[in-house]
Amino acid sequence: MLKLRNISKFHRSGDIETTALHQIDLEIEPGEYLAITGPSGCGKSTLLGILGLLDPPSCGEYWFDGHNVAGWSESRLNLLRRGRIGFIFQSFNLIDDLSVAENIGLALEYGDVPVRERKQRVDEAMHRLGISHRAGHRPSQLSGGQQQRVAIARAIVSRPALLLADEPTGNLDSAHGDEVMRILRDLNREGTTLVMVTHSPAHAAQAARTLRLLDGKILVDALAV
């Protein structure tokens, strides 16, 4: 499904160039559950951004469903990304002026999903995450765990094949974090390809495969025992 070949990412500030990723080779099969770990600044979020077509690599090839998308225009990437990739962020990224249902529905706003089906999908996502009774609430009226449930519902409402999660439990207490991990495991068991960045060894251990980065390079790529 996903194949990276000799992917590097450089950042330049004036005359100074820093390397975020260095010659990454990686393949992710459909239905895999991959955890990306490593110290702060090692390139985890940069790699996730490249996988999600949000951040172009400086060099190398990125094959997404048989297409080498490195160098594609932003408009072409948007079309490819739409409905196929879901994102879950540590900071939730909810719009406080919108209700729970409206926040979730944003993921379907620019697709070709009919209005009636859009409402049905939002209702199904809210039911699955146990937040139907919060449909009319604003994010500021919710706990952190409830906000993350809304963020997950928004990520899955378009039924993406690939779900990318960047520290999805980072702002949650242990109980809510464990619940989010259970939801992610369930989604993976149903066939969703899941790639998660995490600092938690316990959460990384729940993945079928762990990738450890250091200084922008893959240090370990191991299957779960």
Side-chain angles (χ1 to χ4, degrees), residues 19-96:
T19 301
L21 293 174
H22 182 67
Q23 296 180 349
I24 298 293
D25 289 327
L26 176 66
E27 292 189 27
I28 303 173
E29 296 297 329
E32 268 204 270
Y33 183 176
L34 174 68
I36 303 175
T37 68
S40 296
C42 70
K44 301 186 301 295
S45 293
T46 299
L47 178 55
L48 204 70
I50 289 175
L51 289 172
L53 308 177
L54 295 175
D55 192 13
S58 299
C59 60
E61 299 179 356
Y62 178 21
W63 293 82
F64 187 102
D65 279 351
H67 302 280
N68 181 14
V69 300
W72 279 23
S73 67
E74 184 60 28
S75 58
R76 288 186 74 188
L77 292 175
N78 278 333
L79 289 174
L80 182 62
R81 186 167 53 231
R82 187 178 300 162
R84 305 177 77 178
I85 305 177
F87 299 90
I88 304 171
F89 302 98
Q90 177 179 348
S91 57
F92 312 143
N93 289 349
L94 303 177
I95 299 175
D96 201 47

Side-chain angles (χ1 to χ4, degrees), residues 6-211:
N6 203 32
I7 287 288
S8 293
K9 180 68 178 181
F10 310 113
H11 298 293
R12 179 175 290 278
S13 178
D15 294 331
I16 300 175
E17 183 177 84
T18 57
T19 301
L21 293 174
H22 182 67
Q23 296 180 349
I24 298 293
D25 289 327
L26 176 66
E27 292 189 27
I28 303 173
E29 296 297 329
E32 268 204 270
Y33 183 176
L34 174 68
I36 303 175
T37 68
S40 296
C42 70
K44 301 186 301 295
S45 293
T46 299
L47 178 55
L48 204 70
I50 289 175
L51 289 172
L53 308 177
L54 295 175
D55 192 13
S58 299
C59 60
E61 299 179 356
Y62 178 21
W63 293 82
F64 187 102
D65 279 351
H67 302 280
N68 181 14
V69 300
W72 279 23
S73 67
E74 184 60 28
S75 58
R76 288 186 74 188
L77 292 175
N78 278 333
L79 289 174
L80 182 62
R81 186 167 53 231
R82 187 178 300 162
R84 305 177 77 178
I85 305 177
F87 299 90
I88 304 171
F89 302 98
Q90 177 179 348
S91 57
F92 312 143
N93 289 349
L94 303 177
I95 299 175
D96 201 47
D97 289 338
L98 300 181
S99 69
V100 164
E102 289 168 339
N103 266 282
I104 297 169
L106 279 178
L108 302 172
E109 191 71 24
Y110 302 104
D112 54 0
V113 182
V115 174
R116 181 177 296 181
E117 183 180 347
R118 190 183 308 168
K119 183 181 183 305
Q120 180 181 346
R121 287 198 191 185
V122 170
D123 289 343
E124 289 175 354
M126 288 191 298
H127 176 74
R128 169 158 200 171
L129 275 297
I131 51 175
S132 297
H133 62 300
R134 299 289 191 179
H137 287 69
R138 297 291 191 265
S140 60
Q141 298 174 296
L142 307 178
S143 69
Q146 290 168 336
Q147 290 187 53
Q148 190 60 295
R149 284 171 177 261
V150 177
I152 294 173
R154 181 186 57 194
I156 68 172
V157 71
S158 61
R159 300 169 186 169
L162 174 63
L163 188 59
L164 303 176
D166 194 357
E167 295 285 357
T169 64
N171 285 331
L172 304 177
D173 59 34
S174 58
H176 285 118
D178 289 343
E179 179 63 16
V180 165
M181 292 302 301
R182 182 194 63 78
I183 293 168
L184 295 179
R185 286 197 306 274
D186 288 346
L187 290 167
N188 175 250
R189 290 189 184 111
E190 293 168 10
T192 302
T193 304
L194 176 59
V195 181
M196 174 185 66
V197 164
T198 182
H199 276 106
S200 168
H203 291 164
Q206 298 181 31
R209 178 182 171 198
T210 300
L211 199 72

